[in-house]
């Protein structure tokens, strides 16, 4: 066990990609258990980790997001959001957050949203007088709404490996995602005068709102197709993801005519790269996870938590603290795959509903996407805007604290979190 820990943290310190770190640490553990003959099981474990039908939804959702980005939907959604709330103090910051909620129902990837808004809304906010660091901070804070409101690739991963209803997780993510958007807008409104945020001279006319809604109407239908088909029981998440790709192709290629046939190659390559990285991390983490299970490490960690306290409220707090801390230093997909089998049984022991536990875990890891030093959304925004990560982080702290407050509400008020799944009959 010590050898595996030294290998894992040593390779992480050297900057090796996390997929290789997980795989090598797992191989070291397996070899230490039974020598070379045990290593023969590694390929089988890696394949078994990916041999789950719901995982097919991930590349479809990613591709749908790529197509929608290319079709210019991002700009239309931003214009509609601006027509609704752009007249408030800090109007474009509010618009950014509202657009994030709308965009969340189209693609479940925070980094895709950060990249899309980093190249469109951030320059527009800077032009209106916002500092670049604040514009990036607002975009980063809103980007995690993407993998919280369905569709969400993290929920697909968690539901697949833990045997939890993906439809239930999707339904449970709706209210927390909306709460994140609302509390971030509250932060913007509360500090608007103190930060001297710009304010529009006048409200838009009803006609301008109607025109903006008309231009974005077809894009706004996509989340309804995805959620309606899944929550209504008409399609699995994988089938709904395929429908989303088809709808996005029709919208971008035939309606808006902004997506050309030649663009498909580039979008497919990006989708393959993103999916390949995630799947490699999953496969490698499966090897390490199998070694951990064989050595009963999940049970040991659960017992250690329960030795600290058997009070469910305390255990939930410890789980959240662990996820937020590890998420600061490690890829969230890898963290989810390694810790879900550890924390899942622990949450069952303290009486948490599996869907409730899944949402708490996913939301905690989503917040890690914008926390230094390795928050993926921070680096995406720094890359596309040329702003320093340190400057973005300084402007981001009020939003991080606000979103952690939402996480606590979600964790400790299960009736609110499970209200939508119960209404739809997805949980008891």
């Amino acid at each position: 066990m010590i050898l595996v820990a030294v290998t894992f943290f040593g390779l992480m310190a050297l900057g090796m990609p996390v997929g290789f770190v997980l795989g090598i640490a797992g191989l070291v553990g397996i070899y230490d258990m039974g020598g070379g003959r045990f290593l023969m099981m590694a390929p089988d474990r890696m394949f078994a980790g990916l041999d789950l039908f719901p995982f097919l939804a991930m590349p479809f959702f990613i591709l749908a997001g790529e197509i929608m980005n290319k079709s210019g939907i991002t700009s239309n959604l931003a214009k509609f959001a601006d027509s609704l709330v752009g007249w408030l103090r800090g109007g474009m910051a509010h618009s950014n957050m509202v657009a994030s909620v709308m965009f969340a129902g189209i693609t479940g990837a925070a980094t895709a949203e950060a990249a899309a808004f980093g190249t469109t809304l951030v320059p527009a906010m800077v032009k209106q007088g916002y500092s670049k660091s604040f514009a990036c901070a607002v975009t980063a804070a809103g980007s995690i709404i993407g993998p919280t409101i369905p569709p969400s690739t993290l929920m697909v991963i968690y539901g697949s490996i833990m045997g939890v209803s993906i439809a239930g997780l999707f339904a449970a993510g709706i209210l927390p995602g909306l709460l994140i958007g609302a509390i971030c807008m509250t932060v913007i409104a509360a500090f608007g005068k103190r930060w001297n945020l710009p304010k529009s001279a006048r409200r838009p006319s009803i006609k301008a709102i109607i025109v903006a809604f008309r231009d974005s109407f077809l894009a706004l239908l996509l989340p309804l197709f995805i959620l309606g088909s899944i929550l209504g029981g008409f399609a699995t998440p994988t089938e709904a993801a395929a429908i989303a790709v088809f709808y996005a192709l029709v919208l971008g290629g035939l309606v808006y005519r902004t997506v050309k046939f030649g663009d498909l190659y580039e979008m497919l390559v990006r989708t393959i790269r993103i999916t390949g990285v995630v799947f490699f991390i999953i496969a490698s983490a499966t090897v390490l996870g199998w070694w951990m299970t064989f050595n009963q490490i999940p049970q040991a960690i659960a017992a250690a938590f329960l030795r600290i306290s058997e009070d469910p409220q305390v255990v939930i707090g410890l789980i959240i603290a662990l996820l937020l801390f590890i998420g600061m230093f490690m890829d969230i997909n890898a963290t989810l795959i390694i810790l879900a089998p550890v924390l899942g049984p622990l949450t069952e022991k303290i009486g948490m509903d599996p869907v409730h536990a899944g949402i708490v875990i996913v939301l905690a890891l989503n917040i890690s996407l914008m926390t230094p030093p390795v928050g993926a959304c921070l680096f995406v925004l720094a890359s596309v805007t040329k702003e320093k990560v340190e400057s973005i982080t300084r402007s981001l702290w009020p939003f991080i604290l606000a979103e952690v407050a939402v996480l606590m509400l979600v964790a400790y008020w299960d009736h609110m979190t499970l209200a939508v799944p119960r209404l739809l009959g997805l949980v008891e």
Side-chain angles (χ1 to χ4, degrees), residues 251-267:
L251 202 59
L254 300 180
V255 179
Y256 293 114
R257 299 183 182 275
T258 51
V259 176
K260 308 300 181 185
F261 186 79
D263 298 327
L264 290 177
Y265 175 78
E266 184 181 345
M267 290 186 289

Side-chain angles (χ1 to χ4, degrees), residues 86-329:
W87 54 273
L88 299 169
R89 180 174 293 280
M92 281 214 70
H94 288 294
S95 301
N96 192 325
M97 208 58 62
V98 173
S100 293
V101 172
M102 296 176 184
F103 197 71
I106 296 174
T107 174
T111 51
E113 183 175 319
F117 288 175
T119 55
T120 54
L121 290 183
V122 170
M125 290 177 69
V126 171
K127 189 175 180 180
Q128 276 205 6
Y130 295 84
S131 69
K132 186 184 289 187
S133 62
F134 179 79
C136 289
V138 172
T139 304
S143 68
I144 75 159
I145 299 174
T148 304
I149 291 179
S152 167
T153 53
L154 271 187
M155 292 180 192
V156 172
I157 294 174
Y158 184 87
S160 300
I161 63 179
M162 296 302 296
V164 178
S165 166
I166 295 175
L169 291 169
F170 277 10
I174 295 173
L175 282 181
L178 294 175
L179 276 175
I180 289 174
I183 199 167
C184 287
M185 292 179 70
T186 302
V187 170
I188 295 167
F191 291 93
K193 287 187 177 180
R194 181 178 175 181
W195 292 337
N196 194 30
L197 300 181
K199 182 179 180 181
S200 179
R202 59 187 180 86
R203 297 189 184 189
S205 64
I206 298 296
K207 180 180 179 181
I209 296 175
I210 293 174
V211 170
F213 174 72
R214 182 197 64 195
D215 292 342
S216 60
F217 175 72
L218 292 177
L220 293 172
L221 285 179
L222 181 56
L224 297 180
F225 283 136
I226 296 173
L227 288 180
S229 59
I230 296 173
L231 301 181
F234 301 109
T236 66
T238 303
E239 292 165 346
I243 293 171
V245 171
F246 176 76
Y247 184 84
L249 280 173
V250 171
L251 202 59
L254 300 180
V255 179
Y256 293 114
R257 299 183 182 275
T258 51
V259 176
K260 308 300 181 185
F261 186 79
D263 298 327
L264 290 177
Y265 175 78
E266 184 181 345
M267 290 186 289
L268 286 170
V269 168
R270 279 200 300 268
T271 300
I272 291 169
R273 285 176 177 170
I274 296 170
T275 305
V277 170
V278 174
F279 278 13
F280 180 66
I281 290 172
I282 293 173
S284 298
T286 302
V287 176
L288 182 60
W290 182 82
W291 171 82
M292 293 173 66
T293 302
F294 187 88
N295 287 278
Q296 296 188 327
I297 292 176
Q299 293 87 333
I301 294 175
F305 272 55
L306 293 174
R307 277 197 298 271
I308 296 173
S309 175
E310 294 188 1
D311 185 342
Q313 311 302 324
V314 175
V315 174
I316 291 173
L318 292 172
I319 290 172
I320 290 173
L322 176 68
L323 290 168
L324 291 176
F325 177 75
I326 294 180
M328 291 173 65
F329 303 98

Side-chain angles (χ1 to χ4, degrees), residues 331-399:
D331 177 85
I332 63 169
N333 294 300
T335 304
L336 180 65
I337 297 158
I338 291 174
L339 290 184
V342 176
L343 300 178
L346 177 59
T347 58
E348 289 182 14
K349 286 185 178 181
I350 62 174
M352 287 184 76
D353 181 271
V355 170
H356 181 210
I359 287 299
V360 172
I361 292 170
V362 167
L363 183 53
L365 292 177
N366 285 343
I367 291 174
S368 300
L369 287 167
M370 61 175 191
T371 53
V374 295
C377 291
L378 287 179
F379 286 95
V380 168
L381 284 164
S383 175
V384 300
T385 65
K386 309 304 179 186
E387 183 64 52
K388 292 182 178 179
V389 171
E390 296 84 356
S391 299
I392 300 174
T393 303
R394 282 194 293 271
S395 298
L396 190 56
W397 279 112
F399 297 102

Side-chain angles (χ1 to χ4, degrees), residues 5-75:
V6 170
T7 302
F8 180 87
F9 290 108
L11 294 177
M12 285 284 287
L14 292 173
M16 181 176 285
V18 67
F20 290 101
V21 173
L22 295 169
I24 293 172
L27 291 175
V28 169
I30 292 176
Y31 184 83
D32 187 52
M33 279 192 324
R37 56 194 179 88
F38 266 47
L39 290 177
M40 297 175 64
M41 294 187 293
D44 179 65
R45 290 293 89 204
M46 295 180 78
F47 178 79
L50 295 174
D51 190 21
L52 294 169
F53 178 73
F55 277 172
L56 286 176
M58 292 172 58
F60 282 124
F61 280 134
I62 293 169
L63 179 57
E66 290 285 342
I67 297 170
M68 297 298 274
N69 274 340
K70 183 67 177 178
S71 65
I73 293 301
T74 305
S75 300

